[in-house]
Amino acid sequence: MLRWTAVLLLAATRLAAQRALDAPMDSGAVARVLGLLKTSDSTVCELAGQAISNSWGFPWEPRLFPTPMPMPMPTPMPMPMALRMGIRVPHVRVHVRHGPAWYGGDAAVSGAFRAVLRDDSRCVRNIAARVLGRARSAASYDAFLALLGDASPGLRETGALGLGELEDRRALRPLQTALRDRDAAVRAMAARGLGEIEDSSSIGALANALADDAVPVRRAAAWALGEVESPRAIEPLSQALRDRSPEVRALAAWALGEIENARAVPVLGEALKDPSPDVRRAAVWALGQIEDKEGVDLLLPLLHDRDPQVRLAATHALGQIESPRAVGGLGALVHDESPDVKRAAIWALGQIEHGSAVDPLSAALKDADSEIRQLAAWALGEIEDAAAVDPLAAALKDREPDVRIAAAWALGQIESSRAIEPLKAALQDESRDVQDAARWALSQIDDEDRNVRVRVRPKVKKGI
């Protein structure tokens, strides 16, 4: 079994590599791999399908991905030697829309996928539907529409999947009609397809689907309303926050965050009291996305939530809103038992950029974890308050070079004359990178009048 799994995945990966390198696709190879997948284990088929289609984003099943909780980290320190110093660049998740020529115009290759659209294997059918949908070929619309009208619910589901992948507005009416299909899997896939097309004309039909008997349909409808991103969806999604399924409630909260409208803040505040930590976490994330100042007082109690993932989401949300009112609560979390929460709190304090955070961040400069100390130095540099000069000067003697580099960078950001002597001493550091950072920091301090602070990058603060 393991041997065949490896063979299938290797074959699928080779096909994906051909496409990635813009090499001509071999229709015979495609047909052979699809033939092997027909009798493979469903998990193997799905993994191979992802490799073939280079699929990013939505899973194969009509279920929805977990509510995305971005975990931002500090931006690279803007020093000329940043790349040589190996400062990490934050990972950014990007939703990619594939263009109309995603799988090329090779008729033979398209034919190999079209030949299995009615295959008995659901996985193989859906691989073909994804590939052909993203290829945007003119003939695919009619093929998917025919599948959507088939007597077999499995084929109707594949047709709905393909129409969603095409993102063709002609499919709006057929997919809206399919929301009333007798098969729940078809209804869920139709809702997903309408979310992919993102047209506000579907809001009414999707709102009705939030009352469907099947949980997967309600989940898909909530996700789709978030994708449409219209304020008109706030009311039905607010009702969905009282759904009997925590999965639906979580998706409804996520969708309200996608809409990013302050009208959703009060109802999300109620969702913060949900017994499910997943729902609370999604509501917290949504308030961070909306970035309305009214969310601060709602979020502060969640910094003490019993679930560390909820506390983590709350710290990020408050960092996104950037209100000084959150500094006190976030400052207490620099000593949280969860390292992830601790890091998030420090990041958030750096985002808020308020002088009242200097004391808790200075305490974090003494943490046992060198990554926490480095992040605290970064946050103090973001705040640019002269009160941080002394603790940062002490951090120039930290045992870890990365911490000393961050401290030097932060002192350069603050541009205080009191940092000159400690930075000059750092020019003799045993680490070349620390020396470079100290040299850069000294260059940021005005030579003519060291008591005059010069801002090299103006910042626009959000309303509090």
Side-chain angles (χ1 to χ4, degrees):
M1 176 61 186
L2 290 176
R3 178 176 176 272
W4 276 109
T5 299
V7 169
L8 284 170
L9 291 178
L10 178 60
T13 303
R14 288 181 63 184
L15 284 177
Q18 280 186 351
R19 181 62 201 161
L21 296 171
D22 290 328
M25 292 291 291
D26 183 338
S27 59
V30 170
R32 286 192 296 275
V33 171
L34 292 174
L36 289 170
L37 291 177
K38 291 180 184 183
T39 56
S40 70
D41 175 84
S42 60
T43 301
V44 174
C45 183
E46 290 178 5
L47 290 172
Q50 291 181 37
I52 290 172
S53 68
N54 194 22
S55 177
W56 296 322
F58 211 94
W60 296 110
E61 300 291 334
R63 65 180 183 270
L64 301 173
F65 45 76
T67 51
M69 308 294 174
M71 308 292 267
M73 289 299 287
T75 52
M77 300 169 196
M79 293 185 285
M81 65 295 252
L83 290 179
R84 184 165 67 79
M85 288 162 40
I87 296 171
R88 291 186 295 275
V89 177
H91 174 69
V92 180
R93 235 181 124 177
V94 180
H95 180 61
V96 178
R97 294 284 185 191
H98 298 290
W102 180 71
Y103 228 88
D106 191 312
V109 172
S110 297
F113 286 108
R114 192 168 287 111
V116 296
L117 276 177
R118 291 178 174 271
D119 195 86
D120 291 338
S121 166
R122 177 178 180 272
C123 177
V124 170
R125 290 197 311 269
N126 287 354
I127 290 173
R130 285 180 177 277
V131 170
L132 292 170
R134 295 181 180 187
R136 308 290 198 266
S137 64
S140 293
Y141 177 81
D142 291 334
F144 294 142
L145 192 62
L147 288 173
L148 189 61
D150 198 274
S152 165
L155 294 182
R156 295 200 300 276
E157 181 192 22
T158 298
L161 171 62
L163 289 173
E165 293 292 342
L166 276 174
E167 299 182 14
D168 188 326
R169 294 187 77 257
R170 290 180 297 170
L172 287 170
R173 183 61 62 83
L175 288 171
Q176 290 165 7
T177 300
L179 285 176
R180 300 190 296 273
D181 194 278
R182 60 185 177 275
D183 185 84
V186 177
R187 299 196 301 273
M189 194 63 83
R192 176 216 179 243
L194 291 170
E196 292 283 6
I197 299 174
E198 301 179 8
D199 191 280
S200 61
S201 68
S202 298
I203 290 175
L206 288 168
N208 290 335
L210 288 174
D212 196 280
D213 290 337
V215 170
V217 179
R218 301 200 302 273
R219 285 203 323 259
W223 174 83
L225 287 168
E227 290 292 286
V228 175
E229 299 182 5
S230 169
R232 288 170 46 205
I234 292 175
E235 179 58 30
L237 287 169
S238 299
Q239 296 296 322
L241 286 175
R242 296 192 285 272
D243 193 277
R244 60 186 178 276
S245 165
E247 294 178 349
V248 175
R249 299 197 301 272
L251 258 300
W254 172 86
L256 288 167
E258 286 290 283
I259 296 171
E260 298 184 6
N261 189 296
R263 284 170 42 203
V265 170
V267 293
L268 286 168
E270 288 301 311
L272 295 178
K273 305 171 187 175
D274 197 280
S276 166
D278 288 340
V279 177
R280 297 197 303 276
R281 185 160 51 97
V284 164
W285 178 88
L287 288 169
Q289 289 297 104
I290 295 170
E291 298 185 11
D292 187 84
K293 63 181 181 180
E294 297 303 321
V296 173
D297 292 333
L298 296 173
L299 287 166
L300 284 173
L302 277 296
L303 294 178
H304 308 288
D305 195 274
R306 60 186 178 275
D307 187 288
Q309 292 303 310
V310 176
R311 297 200 304 274
L312 180 63
T315 58
H316 281 102
L318 289 167
Q320 287 176 289
I321 297 173
E322 300 183 8
S323 170
R325 300 209 315 270
V327 169
L330 290 168
L333 291 186
V334 301
H335 305 293
D336 195 88
E337 61 186 19
S338 165
D340 288 338
V341 172
K342 188 186 301 186
R343 282 191 288 268
I346 293 171
W347 171 85
L349 291 170
Q351 287 292 102
I352 294 171
E353 301 180 9
H354 194 268
S356 59
V358 169
D359 285 347
L361 289 172
S362 297
L365 283 175
K366 301 174 183 177
D367 195 274
D369 186 335
S370 64
E371 289 189 5
I372 294 294
R373 300 197 301 274
Q374 183 184 9
L375 187 57
W378 169 85
L380 288 168
E382 288 291 286
I383 294 171
E384 301 182 4
D385 191 299
V389 169
D390 290 341
L392 285 168
L396 287 175
K397 300 177 183 178
D398 193 276
R399 60 184 177 274
E400 293 294 332
D402 286 346
V403 179
R404 302 199 298 273
I405 291 167
W409 174 83
L411 289 169
Q413 291 292 97
I414 296 171
E415 301 177 11
S416 167
S417 60
R418 290 194 291 115
I420 292 175
E421 292 307 316
L423 286 168
K424 283 184 175 178
L427 294 175
Q428 307 303 316
D429 194 277
E430 63 185 17
S431 166
R432 172 72 179 277
D433 290 336
V434 175
Q435 294 173 26
D436 289 343
R439 191 172 296 108
W440 174 87
L442 286 166
S443 73
Q444 299 301 106
I445 299 174
D446 183 24
D447 289 329
E448 294 182 3
D449 185 355
R450 300 189 191 281
N451 293 316
V452 176
R453 186 171 177 273
V454 180
R455 290 186 71 97
V456 296
R457 52 182 181 90
K459 296 185 179 181
V460 178
K461 293 297 290 179
K462 299 180 181 178
I464 299 171

